[in-house]
């Protein structure tokens, strides 16, 4: 029985009791790879939060109701028989060098997923959705919490953007 959630199956031969070979399939759900990748991505310097926009807001509410952060938030994985492709959406901290943060995320995620699952990670796409600019109360140590601080600079600026950006690639 193979479903959308359980696409990975590897036939393995292991030595069982008495030296007999025991074979079977190991299935790894997409959500398992998403969880591993999400935890590994959060370990990189410069990551403020995972997800973006509605996903981040809903996740922050869910985190307050539950006691803990959803490790799959902002991560989508597609798992095949021997390979995985991962998409990560996140918000970086103001001042972080985004290319360095992305490199560290890719390195952490690739290594951790490979070590824990044996899957070949063929692609890690990173979508930086926003930059978090700390409020003055956050910088002075007021413990309001990262998600409860009013969010990012985008949340506080005008929704209208002036000027033609059609030349931006």
């Amino acid at each position: 029985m193979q479903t959308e959630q359980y696409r990975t199956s590897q036939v393995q031969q292991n030595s069982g009791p008495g030296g007999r070979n025991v074979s079977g399939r190991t299935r790894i759900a997409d959500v398992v790879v998403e969880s591993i990748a999400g935890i590994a991505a959060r370990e990189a310097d410069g990551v403020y939060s995972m997800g973006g926009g509605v996903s981040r807001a809903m996740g922050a509410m869910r985190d307050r109701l539950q006691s803990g952060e959803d490790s799959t938030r902002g991560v989508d994985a597609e798992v095949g028989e021997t390979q995985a492709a991962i998409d990560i959406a996140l918000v970086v901290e103001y001042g972080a060098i985004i290319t360095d943060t992305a490199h560290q995320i890719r390195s952490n995620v690739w290594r951790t997923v490979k070590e824990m699952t044996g899957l070949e990670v063929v692609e890690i796409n990173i979508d930086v959705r926003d930059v978090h600019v700390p409020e003055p109360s956050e910088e002075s140590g007021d413990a309001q919490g990262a998600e409860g601080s009013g969010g990012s600079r985008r949340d506080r600026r005008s929704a209208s953007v002036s000027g033609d950006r059609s030349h931006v690639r």
Side-chain angles (χ1 to χ4, degrees), residues 57-75:
M58 294 300 288
M61 261 194 286
R62 192 172 41 249
D63 291 346
R64 285 188 196 108
L65 296 174
Q66 302 169 347
S67 58
E69 192 169 322
D70 177 11
S71 61
T72 63
R73 184 176 358 140
V75 183

Side-chain angles (χ1 to χ4, degrees), residues 2-142:
Q2 268 192 310
T3 67
E4 195 67 24
Q5 290 180 319
Y6 295 94
R7 287 184 287 225
T8 300
S9 59
Q10 300 169 355
V11 176
Q12 296 179 334
Q13 296 269 338
N14 296 319
S15 294
R20 294 185 356 204
N21 281 339
V22 178
S23 64
R25 294 186 184 272
T26 302
R27 296 181 184 163
I28 302 171
D30 292 3
V31 70
V32 172
V33 173
E34 290 167 358
S35 185
I36 292 167
I39 292 167
R42 282 175 180 78
E43 294 174 355
D45 296 330
V47 174
Y48 175 73
S49 67
M50 300 294 290
V54 175
S55 164
R56 198 169 96 222
M58 294 300 288
M61 261 194 286
R62 192 172 41 249
D63 291 346
R64 285 188 196 108
L65 296 174
Q66 302 169 347
S67 58
E69 192 169 322
D70 177 11
S71 61
T72 63
R73 184 176 358 140
V75 183
D76 186 40
E78 185 174 329
V79 179
E81 284 195 30
T82 59
Q83 299 177 328
I86 302 165
D87 296 326
I88 299 172
L90 58 94
V91 176
V92 295
E93 296 172 349
Y94 178 79
I97 300 171
I98 295 173
T99 55
D100 290 351
T101 299
H103 176 75
Q104 190 177 6
I105 290 169
R106 281 191 182 93
S107 187
N108 289 355
V109 169
W110 182 88
R111 184 187 68 254
T112 307
V113 170
K114 176 73 174 163
E115 288 174 358
M116 292 184 70
T117 67
L119 294 168
E120 176 189 4
V121 180
V122 295
E123 183 176 69
I124 302 171
N125 298 308
I126 299 172
D127 183 11
V128 179
R129 300 243 173 119
D130 209 348
V131 175
H132 172 75
V133 179
E135 297 279 337
S137 60
E138 284 181 70
E139 291 173 352
S140 67
D142 185 10

